[in-house]
Amino acid sequence: MSSPHSGNDTLQTAGRRSLVDTAIDQLREQLSSGAWPVGSRIPTEHELAERLGIGRNTVREAIRVLVHAGMLVSRQGEGTFVRSTSDPAAVLRGVQRSGVRDVLEVRAALEAEAARLAALRHTPEDIDRMRAALAREAAVMAAHPERAGREATVEHDLEFHTAVVEAAHNPALTEVYRYFGASVRESMRTAFGDHEMPEVVVATHAALVDAIESGDPDRAERACRALLAEPTAAVEQLLAAIAARK
């Protein structure tokens, strides 16, 4: 049975959450405006509490959220410092609002650089992983040729491209790519529907693996751009067809 005070407790929790959200918004605004430059130490919790007219616990919770978001960094015994004046969450929301062509172009830039680095840094295990992913993709396409490039092969294709990027052995690049890879797929499905997703051409994928394995970064980049030219051209055609129907 609920406590007679449970409703009040909920309201108090909601009120506190609102205070924290307000504090987060105010601190984020200060950071975005450049009031506290990157690398500088922000005012103490006590000073911020006085400026904002809220409790120190609320300030502490707001700072914790912004540390988790990557805008601030806390250093034991030194204070809290500005790591970035851009909110990563806002950046990602902006990406989600971008068109499929825009997101695909960014993904292409990431993959081309990843291919160059992979040519220089790959291990035999990386090459095996790429070929295995490509083999699984080819097997699905052979078994279901009418669904090539659709749901039947999307996951394997993403697995292949992720293996290429991870062969660059750059964790930051891998994390950024994981987001853009998913965004491209969702953007294309939203814009065109699953039945119009561009088909996968195994030959150009295999050529990219060969180029990476050769150890030649220029060759790897060229092979990557040749591979990505296919979905890019398909997207351009679909966008033109959509525009013509309007």
Side-chain angles (χ1 to χ4, degrees):
M1 183 174 179
S2 298
S3 162
H5 300 294
S6 60
N8 290 336
D9 291 343
T10 301
L11 288 174
Q12 289 171 3
T13 300
R16 174 167 175 74
R17 185 69 251 164
S18 178
L19 280 176
V20 173
D21 289 340
T22 299
I24 292 170
D25 289 341
Q26 290 178 307
L27 293 177
R28 186 184 285 123
E29 185 177 341
Q30 290 293 306
L31 291 165
S32 299
S33 69
W36 303 321
V38 172
S40 66
R41 184 172 63 184
I42 68 172
T44 65
E45 289 178 2
H46 176 72
E47 292 172 323
L48 289 173
E50 287 192 340
R51 291 188 190 184
L52 301 177
I54 56 178
R56 291 181 64 178
N57 287 339
T58 302
V59 171
R60 186 176 300 117
E61 194 169 340
I63 288 175
R64 188 181 299 118
V65 170
L66 293 176
V67 167
H68 183 71
M71 297 187 77
L72 298 175
V73 58
S74 293
R75 298 174 187 162
Q76 189 73 26
E78 296 182 43
T80 303
F81 295 78
V82 180
R83 172 179 283 176
S84 172
T85 56
S86 299
D87 184 355
V91 173
L92 296 184
R93 286 193 296 272
V95 171
Q96 290 172 337
R97 290 192 294 268
S98 299
V100 60
R101 181 194 289 113
D102 300 327
V103 179
L104 186 59
E105 287 172 352
V106 173
R107 177 185 165 184
L110 294 174
E111 285 197 43
E113 180 59 23
R116 290 186 61 84
L117 295 174
L120 300 171
R121 302 174 181 173
H122 71 272
T123 66
E125 291 75 20
D126 291 325
I127 299 298
D128 290 343
R129 184 181 168 199
M130 291 177 217
R131 294 198 187 283
L134 191 56
R136 285 189 288 272
E137 190 170 14
V140 172
M141 291 174 66
H144 306 281
E146 76 286 355
R147 298 173 65 192
R150 312 317 194 255
E151 188 64 37
T153 57
V154 163
E155 293 304 323
H156 291 309
D157 190 53
L158 187 58
E159 180 185 354
F160 171 81
H161 288 275
T162 300
V164 170
V165 174
E166 291 185 351
H169 295 280
N170 182 318
L173 179 59
T174 296
E175 288 305 312
V176 172
Y177 178 78
R178 282 183 186 278
Y179 178 81
F180 273 97
S183 293
V184 166
R185 183 177 59 181
E186 292 308 313
S187 295
M188 291 175 75
R189 282 181 177 159
T190 299
F192 312 129
D194 188 57
H195 64 287
E196 291 184 294
M197 291 280 282
E199 293 187 4
V200 172
V201 180
V202 175
T204 50
H205 286 63
L208 173 57
V209 181
D210 291 341
I212 290 173
E213 190 172 26
S214 75
D216 183 340
D218 292 333
R219 178 185 168 188
E221 181 180 356
R222 287 195 301 273
C224 185
R225 292 194 180 281
L227 185 161
L228 294 171
E230 296 161 358
T232 300
V235 165
E236 293 291 351
Q237 290 177 356
L238 290 170
L239 288 174
I242 290 173
R245 292 198 293 264
K246 291 181 178 179

